[in-house]
Amino acid sequence: MVLRPAVLGLLGVFAVSVCQAQAPALDLFTYEAPPHQVSQADDLGRTRAVGETVDTVMCAAGRSGRTTRVRVTPPNRALYSLRRNLIDGYFAIDPSPELDAIATRTDPVALAKWYFFSAREGIDLRHARIGVVAGSHESSWLSHQGYEIALSVATPRQLVALLRLNRIDAALMDEQVMAGLNVDTEGPGADLHSRFVRFAPLYLYFSDRFTRAAPEFAGRFNRFLPGCMKTALNLSDSEQAFLRQQARKLLMELNASVSLDRALTDGPRLPTFADILNIDKQWQALAPDQSVPLADQLLALPASRALRAWQDSHRGLVTEALLITKSGTLAAMSQLTSDYWQGDEAKFRENIRKAVTARFEESDLYLSPVRYDASTRQFQVMVSAPLNASDGSGNTGVIALGLNISQALRGLER
């Protein structure tokens, strides 16, 4: 086929228009923190950023319509570049009032689990020589908490060397960062002791210049973020035991203040499973920013209002409360969830077939790994338990609570 010159001309104009309309790549900085983000060289000697958090950020940015260029730099340089609008954004960092005043913070892109690592047990941290990575969010947090920092270094690996040489008494860093350093098991200081400090949600900050140029991008990025976050954080045995004790007390209290049995029978019912799946599809397409009519109906129920009032009495700890029928559908909820049908989720499946007689025994509670939840926009664990008929005829449904992991483990002594 022979194309006429006029047609070729139109195709050329179209190609130029497409190129002009294509959004420029995001220019983002992060810092060295294996395995979350690390600089890696390919066969040609070119370096690129890889890791779990890098994948999450690039996935959400890509689904929002932008390609991304991520560079690994020292934290101080990244902060300098963000403050002076030399880059589009910087991740994964702790929030701060100073950055909130000059940049736009997204929803969390990762969750760090911070520990003090030391070569000896029983160190008095208030009088210890503490080392951190210079410019890191751990460094900022220590300063805000009133700790004195003895040494600041360029990389986490240097902190391990300083611990071995007894130049510092303790180092504050993320648990997975320490694991990612592949610390060998021989030599002095190899068997480091650890003390849990906190769960730290980490964020991406878009520079003021980028936000002014693309004011709606951060909102789109946040909407795609939950679907891009694949990694779940497992809990230690002591953490799980502590959470089960706390959850049992909460469930006993809730059961005493809200008629769960009546709420299960008063909730709306759909005639067929096909209707359930159809509503669930519509529900997920709109949540968490909008709601279908059935969601509004559920939220208006007395039981849902009672769940909300109870949740508010535990503000900061309880992130959501869900009452689920034997069919896996919602009978009541404290706030809008990301989906209607819960029947395919572990918090339901692990409870509905249990033949138990005692209510809310710790051994009967299902506890999920730590995940980022789209509806609450927090890192949380889901704890759930079976509800049983008073006449012993079996399960009537499931009660599930979301717990903010940072708040829930605050009272655990390590």
Side-chain angles (χ1 to χ4, degrees), residues 121-312:
E121 279 190 297
I123 291 176
D124 182 359
L125 291 168
R126 286 293 175 180
H127 299 92
R129 298 168 298 168
I130 299 175
V132 291
V133 173
S136 66
H137 40 281
E138 290 95 333
S139 176
S140 299
W141 183 84
L142 283 169
S143 297
H144 291 148
Q145 296 299 313
Y147 287 93
E148 183 175 344
I149 298 173
L151 281 174
S152 297
V153 298
T155 68
R157 190 173 296 278
Q158 290 173 323
L159 291 175
V160 176
L162 291 172
L163 284 171
R164 288 176 168 175
L165 294 170
N166 196 33
R167 294 284 304 280
I168 57 174
D169 301 313
L172 180 62
M173 70 174 76
D174 174 47
E175 176 189 43
Q176 291 191 59
V177 170
M178 173 62 82
L181 295 176
N182 296 319
V183 178
D184 57 51
T185 57
E186 298 179 359
D191 297 325
L192 298 176
H193 300 280
S194 60
R195 186 185 307 181
F196 174 78
V197 179
R198 64 183 287 240
F199 281 97
L202 305 178
Y203 300 83
L204 186 155
Y205 274 95
F206 286 120
S207 67
D208 181 62
R209 172 185 56 80
F210 175 79
T211 301
R212 283 187 277 108
E216 297 179 355
F217 185 81
R220 292 200 304 273
F221 182 91
N222 286 338
R223 284 196 293 274
F224 289 112
L225 196 54
C228 291
M229 212 172 286
K230 304 301 182 185
T231 303
L233 189 64
N234 293 316
L235 297 165
S236 68
D237 290 343
S238 61
E239 289 166 343
Q240 291 188 47
F242 182 80
L243 286 174
R244 289 178 189 279
Q245 291 176 0
Q246 194 171 15
R248 183 175 186 271
K249 294 177 182 177
L250 289 169
L251 288 167
M252 294 288 286
E253 177 192 315
L254 175 61
N255 190 50
S257 59
V258 180
S259 177
L260 300 179
D261 290 338
R262 179 174 179 180
L264 280 170
T265 60
D266 289 349
R269 295 285 192 274
L270 295 180
T272 68
F273 187 61
D275 292 323
I276 292 173
L277 294 183
N278 183 48
I279 285 291
D280 188 58
K281 183 177 180 180
Q282 298 174 39
W283 187 301
Q284 291 188 50
L286 295 176
D289 300 317
Q290 300 180 54
S291 57
V292 296
L294 180 61
D296 295 332
Q297 180 184 346
L298 275 166
L299 287 169
L301 291 173
S304 292
R305 293 199 298 270
L307 289 177
R308 180 68 199 190
W310 181 82
Q311 176 183 324
D312 287 344

Side-chain angles (χ1 to χ4, degrees), residues 232-235 366-371 380-382:
L233 189 64
N234 293 316
L235 297 165
Y366 167 75
L367 193 67
S368 76
V370 181
R371 289 190 175 91
Q380 65 177 31
V381 294
M382 290 300 301

Side-chain angles (χ1 to χ4, degrees), residues 18 52 81 146 150 162 187 204 221 302 323 327 343 348 355 366 376 394 403 413:
V18 170
E52 298 169 2
S81 301
L162 291 172
L204 186 155
F221 182 91
L323 190 58
S327 300
F348 174 83
Y366 167 75
T376 63
L403 302 180
E413 295 295 330

